[in-house]
Amino acid sequence: MSHDSGAEKPWGGRFSEATDRFVEIFTASVDFDRRLYAYDIQGSLAHARMLQQIGVLTAAELQAIETGLAEIRTAIESGDFSWLIEFEDVHMNIEARLTERIGDAGKKLHTGRSRNDQVATDMRLYLRDQIDQILDDLASTRSALVDLAEREVDTILPGFTHLQVAQPVTFGHHMLAWQEMLARDAERLRDCRRRVNVMPLGSAALAGTSYPIDRALTARLLGFDAISENSLDAVSDRDFIIEFCAAASLVMMHLSRFAEELIIWSSAQFDFIELSDSFCTGSSIMPQKKNPDVPELLRGKSGRVFGSLVSVLTLMKGQPLAYNKDNQEDKEPLFDTVDTVRGSLKVFAAMIPALHVKRENMKASARRGFATATDLADYLVRHGTAFRDAHEIVGKLVRYGIERKKDLSEMTLTELRQFGGQINDDIFAVLTLEGSVAARNHIGGTAPQQVRAAIQRARGHLPPV
Ligand code: ARG
């Protein structure tokens, strides 16, 4: 235990008094940043190899460091590593243990490096990996949506604006709308990854180092695509985390909207879908209940991800150059964001194929809402009526229909012709739901033929699962 002696800290030389125990606990990050251990070791190995190449470490010292770090990794992974608050963070815990194991060679590992460039490197390696995982998770969710779209390519439901019945759409088209949003999310993450994958290592504390380091070598060993151009910038800015949290917030916003639809659709009032029992729970008091807990939780979880975005933005905005300890606060929001997005995408991808789509209920609902009113107006326009006049005529027919509880398609030709003399019996094909969706037959339209083509295009953009 070192809390009675500041001298045992890696930075203890300058200090004559011990750190206050409470301050030690307050400033430590090891409880959460230990999850970076694999990236910290990866970064240290590359740094050590580079140090050996430039003659700072001997081959034997490098060998000792490699063996020591490998043992530490095994100890961590088997739960045999004791993380100490006294050593503050993941970096100093691993380094202290290394020196304990291998002696003097361990003390040389930190040559030409600072925790400032080390932590920035670890965070970037971690985030690069996580983005790749999230892209896989997104791809699974997207392909589940495309599969469902294909299964329900001819299914018709009312499309809504203002949550009022607007025009009929195909369920396949509706599912592909969500797929498009998630495809843009993936694109944003891929773009963000380019700026994440830049190596800060070599920036040292803030100004660079006096050793003749070979940054290109370290970058190659770590798979970085580029090397940071400015040491002050590289150790201090966390814009890459903010950008990721913003992209993650958009993913969650999209999942939340979709979850909201599932919740509405599974209500008794809509009754468009049934969620599989495995994604719902009951009520402890009301025996009839089957609650859509999973979509509700997904909707709710967007809040913490948006919160993380605001946290990191806020922690960054007041910081002068270069590194400040504020940046230690970037970790928990980032880790929480990654966990939340990945968990949400996983549960989503599993829930979608298990959706039971109640085709008849959707269709009946589309029939009730005068969803083909626009088709009738378009028909009148094709027969020479100006659109505004057509709008007026159909409006009157709808009012008539509401009074008599009749959909447009249920009216007789005589009834229809009271309002528009230009209507003939070819109108009935136009007023069917099938006729309405089939008529919207252009790229981006809801016609099943177009949806089939869109499914093929979407599959072409998805990585093979
Ligand atoms: N635990 C610190 C962080 O997460 C590591 C860097 C600390 N650097 C320093 N000079 N105190 O940011």
Side-chain angles (χ1 to χ4, degrees), residues 29 33 88-89 91 114-116 119 238 323-325 327-328 330-331:
S29 53
D33 68 13
E88 197 175 317
D89 56 24
H91 324 291
S114 153
R115 273 188 298 152
N116 297 351
V119 70
R238 296 291 184 264
Y323 176 85
N324 301 280
K325 184 79 165 178
N327 280 344
Q328 184 164 289
D330 63 357
K331 286 169 198 62

Side-chain angles (χ1 to χ4, degrees), residues 45 48-49 59-71 98 102:
L45 285 171
R49 281 169 198 159
E61 286 166 338
L62 172 61
Q63 174 72 59
I65 288 173
E66 287 178 338
T67 313
L69 287 175
E71 284 168 12
L98 181 69
I102 68 168

Side-chain angles (χ1 to χ4, degrees), residues 101-312:
R101 277 175 188 250
I102 68 168
D104 283 351
K107 294 187 189 165
K108 293 189 180 178
L109 172 62
H110 213 51
T111 314
R113 183 176 79 166
S114 153
R115 273 188 298 152
N116 297 351
D117 60 343
Q118 187 179 357
V119 70
T121 304
D122 291 5
M123 292 295 274
R124 285 172 183 270
L125 290 172
Y126 162 80
L127 187 51
R128 180 180 74 186
D129 240 18
Q130 295 304 320
I131 290 175
D132 291 341
Q133 304 287 337
I134 293 172
L135 285 170
D136 285 350
D137 298 339
L138 266 172
S140 310
T141 309
R142 289 165 60 199
S143 69
L145 284 168
V146 174
D147 291 348
L148 181 57
E150 188 166 54
R151 202 176 85 198
E152 305 295 338
V153 72
D154 294 305
T155 303
I156 294 177
L157 77 161
F160 297 89
T161 60
H162 314 273
L163 205 56
Q164 306 286 323
V165 171
Q167 290 170 356
V169 292
T170 51
F171 193 81
H173 194 54
H174 198 110
M175 288 303 112
L176 288 187
W178 295 117
Q179 194 291 127
E180 284 297 313
M181 295 178 225
L182 297 183
R184 286 195 298 278
D185 289 334
E187 200 176 295
R188 264 186 285 274
L189 285 166
R190 277 192 292 271
D191 192 55
C192 170
R193 189 192 192 280
R194 290 192 301 120
R195 282 175 293 278
V196 168
N197 203 25
V198 177
M199 187 186 74
L201 200 60
S203 303
L206 76 166
T209 172
S210 55
Y211 296 93
I213 55 171
D214 182 351
R215 298 188 72 201
L217 171 60
T218 335
R220 208 161 49 242
L221 291 172
L222 293 172
F224 280 113
D225 292 329
I227 298 170
S228 63
E229 289 282 342
N230 183 292
S231 59
L232 293 162
D233 168 43
V235 293
S236 69
D237 203 11
R238 296 291 184 264
D239 60 352
F240 66 100
I241 295 177
I242 296 172
E243 194 180 339
F244 169 78
C245 288
S249 294
L250 287 169
V251 173
M252 292 306 293
M253 179 275 288
H254 287 145
L255 294 187
S256 176
R257 291 186 65 192
F258 191 178
E260 169 72 0
E261 275 196 342
L262 297 181
I263 294 162
I264 295 176
W265 286 354
S266 58
S267 69
Q269 288 67 26
F270 268 79
D271 204 17
F272 282 5
I273 57 162
E274 187 172 344
L275 292 166
S276 148
D277 281 359
S278 47
F279 292 91
C280 296
T281 60
S283 158
S284 54
I285 175 167
M286 297 165 283
Q288 84 282 12
K289 293 275 257 179
K290 178 173 164 184
N291 297 327
D293 292 52
V294 170
E296 284 168 359
L297 208 46
L298 283 165
R299 189 176 58 184
K301 278 188 187 291
S302 60
R304 57 201 292 161
V305 174
F306 303 170
S308 293
L309 169 63
V310 174
S311 294
V312 189

